[in-house]
Amino acid sequence: SRSHPGLYTGLVRNIDFPLGEKVSGVSEKRGAIIIKAAWKKLQSFEYLKYHKSQALIKDEAGNCKLAIVGLVGLHVVSKISDNSLNPRARA
């Protein structure tokens, strides 16, 4: 297990996501998948440009207000072993 560096240091001590791996070049063992999305509050003239959703957004006073947000970034990462990338490394 390794400690997660960065924002959650001190809150989360041990994170050990499973590795994925190709086995015999045919089957696979799926590893952990991490998905992160970034959204922005949209103005009405931007509605057609983005994939939209509704979100509650907290203002500086701590009040939540319903708003339309647009998807501006999406990262999908799958954790695999180095051996899956380079089959010769298994030898």
Side-chain angles (χ1 to χ4, degrees):
S1 292
R2 291 181 273 175
S3 291
H4 184 279
L7 182 62
Y8 299 105
T9 301
L11 298 175
V12 178
R13 302 282 160 141
N14 296 311
I15 296 178
D16 190 12
F17 295 117
L19 284 173
E21 190 171 318
K22 281 193 179 219
V23 181
S24 306
V26 177
S27 62
E28 293 183 358
K29 180 177 111 181
R30 176 67 68 189
I33 297 175
I34 302 167
I35 300 173
K36 298 186 297 180
W39 302 84
K40 79 174 216 162
K41 186 176 175 183
L42 296 179
Q43 303 295 321
S44 59
F45 66 88
E46 297 177 296
Y47 288 174
L48 295 176
K49 295 181 183 180
Y50 294 92
H51 173 73
K52 298 177 293 301
S53 187
Q54 294 181 342
L56 289 173
I57 298 177
K58 191 184 286 189
D59 63 18
E60 293 177 9
N63 302 313
C64 290
K65 188 174 181 181
L66 190 61
I68 303 296
V69 293
L71 185 65
V72 294
L74 183 66
H75 297 266
V76 180
V77 179
S78 180
K79 186 174 179 185
I80 60 173
S81 72
D82 289 340
N83 291 342
S84 293
L85 297 174
N86 183 3
R88 294 180 187 164
R90 295 180 200 214

